[in-house]
């Protein structure tokens, strides 16, 4: 039902330093900018930086992952290590580095794509804070996501939609002391009516828009379903 991640929105106090952070450190180009938000290109997904001027707000203290070619991973480490106290984890053949942006979001660069250039190729993982793992897992499974991992020592479940993954965390500090995001705003390419029907009995609200349908999940995260 969910075929692509169209955007992830994060709340920022001030646009200029936040945009400068992502432009200068990660080479993300600004696609669109208004007085209250900026949309940056993270591969095919927009990373939206939004001032707190209405609802939906952007996510707070959100951990998320950007994919980079594995051949360029060491270049990223060398580039970022002077400015940040980097943390590294290894998942089989995949290496990931972690650091924090201006707003306290934990940014992960995952060396998971083929190739050798030091460019961001996509936004491939988002971590959401949830009250109940069982309830949240059932909600996202109803949208067609599959459970691919469960935490042994931490209260977490990982689900995949194919092109992107979610991690659902009950409140705790994870790797690199990261936290799951609260009131996160996300957009998806989706089979819109099937997605709405699948979760209609569980959502807190449903709003029909010109270009899709926005729902609010049981933990207060906003999900917009639009045609791919």
């Amino acid at each position: 039902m969910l075929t692509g991640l169209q955007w992830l929105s994060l709340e920022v106090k001030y646009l200029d330093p936040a945009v400068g952070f992502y432009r200068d450190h990660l080479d993300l180009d600004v696609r669109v900018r208004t007085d209250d938000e900026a949309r940056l290109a993270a591969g095919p997904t927009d990373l939206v930086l939004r001032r707190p001027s209405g609802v939906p707000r952007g996510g707070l203290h959100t951990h998320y992952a950007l994919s980079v070619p594995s051949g360029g991973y060491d270049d990223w480490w060398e580039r970022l290590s002077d400015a940040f106290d980097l943390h590294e984890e290894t998942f089989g053949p995949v290496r990931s580095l972690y650091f924090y942006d201006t707003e306290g979001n934990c940014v992960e660069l995952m060396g998971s794509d083929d190739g050798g250039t030091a460019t961001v190729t996509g936004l491939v993982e988002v971590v959401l804070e949830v009250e109940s793992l069982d309830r949240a897992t059932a909600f996202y499974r109803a949208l067609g996501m599959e459970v691919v991992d469960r935490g042994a020592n931490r209260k977490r479940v990982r689900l995949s939609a194919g092109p992107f993954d979610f991690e659902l965390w009950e409140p705790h500090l994870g790797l690199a002391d990261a936290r799951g995001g609260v009131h996160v705003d996300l957009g998806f390419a989706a089979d819109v009516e099937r997605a709405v029907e699948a979760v209609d009995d569980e959502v807190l609200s449903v709003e029909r828009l010109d270009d899709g349908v926005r729902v609010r999940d049981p933990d207060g995260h906003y999900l917009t379903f639009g045609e791919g």
Side-chain angles (χ1 to χ4, degrees), residues 14-221:
Y14 307 108
L15 279 180
D16 285 345
V19 170
F21 175 94
Y22 284 99
R23 181 190 60 227
D24 298 342
H25 293 298
L26 294 175
D27 296 333
L28 300 189
D29 293 329
V30 177
R31 286 180 171 161
V32 180
R33 179 164 177 170
T34 67
D35 290 341
D36 291 322
E37 73 174 41
R39 288 181 171 263
L40 285 68
T45 302
D46 282 350
L47 178 64
V48 182
L49 308 177
R50 180 181 297 148
R51 298 184 66 235
S53 57
V55 292
R57 296 168 62 184
L60 294 176
H61 56 69
T62 305
H63 173 37
Y64 69 95
L66 300 167
S67 59
V68 299
S70 57
Y73 178 87
D74 290 333
D75 293 335
W76 279 112
W77 183 277
E78 182 176 354
R79 173 177 173 175
L80 295 170
S81 59
D82 287 341
F84 302 99
D85 181 16
L86 301 178
H87 176 93
E88 185 174 48
E89 295 285 343
T90 302
F91 308 96
V94 176
R95 291 184 294 166
S96 286
L97 64 85
Y98 301 73
F99 62 107
Y100 282 81
D101 73 2
T102 57
E103 311 300 316
N105 300 296
C106 184
V107 183
E108 176 182 351
L109 294 190
M110 182 185 298
S112 56
D113 284 352
D114 294 334
T117 58
T119 58
V120 170
T121 55
L123 202 161
V124 295
E125 176 188 319
V126 181
V127 180
L128 304 178
E129 184 173 287
V130 301
E131 183 177 320
S132 164
L133 277 182
D134 289 343
R135 181 185 67 187
T137 300
F139 181 89
Y140 285 98
R141 288 187 66 192
L143 288 170
M145 300 188 76
E146 296 183 1
V147 174
V148 295
D149 189 34
R150 293 182 184 270
N153 301 313
R154 293 188 290 122
K155 296 174 286 186
R156 51 169 285 273
V157 172
R158 187 179 187 91
L159 301 99
S160 182
F164 62 90
D165 291 355
F166 275 3
E167 288 229 358
L168 307 176
W169 291 7
E170 291 184 3
H172 71 278
L173 296 182
L175 300 176
D177 286 342
R179 292 172 289 175
V182 297
H183 55 68
V184 179
D185 174 37
L186 299 141
F188 305 93
D191 184 329
V192 176
E193 295 306 326
R194 280 186 64 210
V196 173
E197 183 178 359
V199 295
D200 189 52
D201 291 338
E202 303 298 326
V203 296
L204 301 179
S205 63
V206 178
E207 181 183 2
R208 293 199 170 265
L209 310 171
D210 291 340
D211 55 355
V213 179
R214 178 188 295 143
V215 303
R216 194 176 183 204
D217 82 0
D219 291 286
H221 303 296

